[in-house]
């Protein structure tokens, strides 16, 4: 598919994008990279990014028996999330939790397919573009105490969980990712590949340093989130990967990016509590949405000052 925007089609004056997903989206570093990019490269466009990711969530409604609480399901909060945010686009990223860390089964795979298709359909019915990201990879080499925690195939169903995952769970996620990329325009307005891109990054880093850790096996560290942001920029906005990579390298650790991330955490926590979710672990210190928006406006003034002082070659 062609990008929605790019050299031949400038960005609109305003664009509101909501993000739904599990703990990887809840972390939101990839969304903060996008925010930082657009504030520098498209300051005239009002691009609002709303992070509604919730830890432990699924699109399938499945949960492993050993999980400390039934995993939340996006469908339990979807209607209110769409009504409250009224987005132009919704980007969804599910799959890591949907296989519930078990060996592949057609029943679980079917629940994932049904849940994601239903999710994309309801987004479209709400008048928004529905964009599906692949799940990221599972990286057992980065899993703390991985050798002790990984289980082979053939164990009782109740033995597998996020704490004791199937050793070859990456192949389960690969099947899920390939299926997402096979979705046609009748199901999704766009698909974004992050699975293979993250695997390539891990392989390159590990070739240079065999002890390289990409994250904790499930959740990518910041460099992985940068790869996710680059894939979104390339697929949806036609941004060349080299430009996106150079930008991420330049802003990492800067006061500018730190402030963008601070604003992101503030407003994201408020939005997630505002639309509601069924994860019993509530965001600590989340402000009511109106108060969070007021505090965010104060941060935005400082962000603009720092953006104006950034290297002009980045914009």
């Amino acid at each position: 598919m062609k990008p929605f925007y790019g050299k031949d089609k400038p960005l609109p004056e305003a664009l509101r994008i909501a993000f739904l997903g599990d703990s990887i989206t809840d972390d939101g570093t990839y969304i903060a990279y996008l925010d930082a990019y657009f504030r520098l490269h498209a300051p005239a466009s009002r691009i609002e990014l709303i992070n509604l990711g919730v830890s432990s969530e699924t699109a399938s409604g499945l949960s492993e028996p050993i999980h400390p609480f039934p995993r939340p399901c996006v469908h339990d909060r979807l209607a209110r999330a769409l009504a409250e945010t009224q987005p132009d686009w919704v980007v969804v990223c599910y799959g890591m939790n949907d296989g519930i860390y078990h060996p592949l089964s057609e029943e679980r795979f079917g629940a994932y397919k049904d849940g994601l298709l239903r999710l994309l359909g309801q987004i479209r019915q709400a008048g928004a573009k529905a964009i599906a990201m692949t799940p990221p990879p599972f990286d057992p080499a980065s899993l703390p105490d991985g050798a002790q925690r990984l289980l082979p195939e053939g164990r009782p169903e109740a033995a597998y969980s996020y704490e004791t995952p199937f050793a070859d769970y990456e192949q389960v996620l690969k099947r899920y990712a390939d299926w997402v990329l096979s979705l046609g325009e009748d199901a999704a307005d766009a698909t974004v590949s992050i699975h293979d891109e993250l695997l390539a990054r891990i392989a390159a880093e590990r070739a240079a340093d065999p002890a390289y850790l990409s994250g904790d096996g499930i959740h990518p560290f910041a460099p992985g989130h940068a790869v996710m942001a680059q894939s979104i920029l390339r697929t949806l906005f036609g941004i060349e990967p080299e430009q996106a990579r150079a930008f991420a390298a330049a802003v990492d650790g800067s006061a500018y990016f730190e402030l963008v991330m601070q604003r992101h955490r503030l407003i994201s926590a408020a939005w997630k509590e505002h639309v509601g979710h069924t994860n019993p672990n509530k965001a600590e210190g989340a402000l009511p949405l109106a108060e969070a928006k007021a505090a965010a406006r104060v941060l935005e003034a400082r962000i603009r000052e720092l953006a104006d002082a950034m290297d002009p070659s980045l914009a």
Side-chain angles (χ1 to χ4, degrees):
M1 59 151 278
K2 292 182 178 180
F4 296 137
Y5 298 103
K7 295 179 181 178
D8 300 326
K9 188 177 180 183
L11 288 167
E13 290 185 5
L15 182 66
R16 176 176 276 197
I17 309 173
F19 294 80
L20 291 166
D22 52 35
S23 54
I24 296 161
T25 297
D26 191 358
D27 173 274
T29 301
Y30 75 90
I31 303 170
Y33 276 121
L34 296 173
D35 194 13
Y37 182 91
F38 288 122
R39 287 176 183 276
L40 278 177
H41 288 78
S45 294
R46 298 190 307 279
I47 299 178
E48 184 180 4
L49 308 177
I50 301 176
N51 180 357
L52 299 177
V54 169
S55 180
S56 301
E57 193 167 70
T58 72
S60 62
L62 301 177
S63 186
E64 61 270 51
I66 201 173
H67 201 269
F69 51 87
R71 288 187 178 275
C73 180
V74 65
H75 292 284
D76 294 333
R77 65 187 178 108
L78 181 60
R80 181 171 178 183
L82 294 173
E84 292 288 344
T85 58
Q86 298 185 358
D88 300 300
W89 301 358
V90 181
V91 179
V92 305
C93 185
Y94 290 97
M96 179 60 78
N97 296 331
D98 291 271
I100 57 174
Y101 304 91
H102 284 52
L104 181 69
S105 85
E106 290 306 318
E107 182 178 359
R108 283 187 290 272
F109 194 12
Y112 174 63
K113 292 176 182 177
D114 291 345
L116 197 66
L117 288 173
R118 206 153 43 95
L119 172 58
L120 297 171
Q122 288 179 260
I123 290 167
R124 284 176 148 185
Q125 288 174 11
K129 288 187 182 298
I131 299 153
M133 295 173 68
T134 67
F138 175 67
D139 181 19
S142 292
L143 191 71
D145 301 320
Q148 290 75 37
R149 293 169 58 185
L150 296 170
L151 297 182
E153 195 167 13
R155 294 293 180 87
E157 286 282 295
Y160 301 101
S161 74
Y162 72 103
E163 289 282 5
T164 51
F166 172 47
D168 207 14
Y169 190 56
E170 163 50 27
Q171 290 307 306
V172 177
L173 293 181
K174 175 63 174 170
R175 282 284 303 276
Y176 286 22
D178 288 346
W179 174 78
V180 169
L181 293 179
S182 75
L183 295 175
E185 294 181 357
D186 58 327
D189 293 284
T191 58
V192 178
S193 176
I194 62 170
H195 184 273
D196 291 352
E197 287 73 6
L198 284 166
L199 278 181
R201 169 65 184 258
I202 293 167
E205 294 287 351
R206 202 157 279 151
D209 176 9
Y212 173 75
L213 299 178
S214 66
D216 65 3
I218 295 170
H219 308 93
F221 288 150
H225 280 262
V227 172
M228 295 169 68
Q230 290 156 21
S231 295
I232 292 171
L233 289 170
R234 181 190 70 249
T235 305
L236 304 182
F237 298 95
I239 306 300
E240 294 296 331
E242 294 77 11
Q243 181 183 355
R245 279 195 293 269
F247 165 79
V251 301
D252 273 348
S254 68
Y256 168 70
F257 187 70
E258 292 301 318
L259 206 59
V260 169
M261 179 61 81
Q262 182 181 339
R263 180 199 172 278
H264 173 84
R265 300 274 195 233
L266 169 75
I267 203 74
S268 171
W271 265 115
K272 282 180 269 200
E273 295 303 320
H274 180 73
V275 303
H277 57 79
T278 55
N279 188 316
N281 300 316
K282 302 296 184 180
E284 293 184 8
L287 296 175
L289 185 58
E291 291 182 26
K293 286 182 175 181
R297 285 192 290 271
V298 175
L299 293 176
E300 284 163 9
R302 178 59 180 152
I303 291 171
R304 284 194 298 271
E305 291 176 5
L306 293 174
D308 290 343
M310 293 287 286
D311 183 347
S313 66
L314 294 175

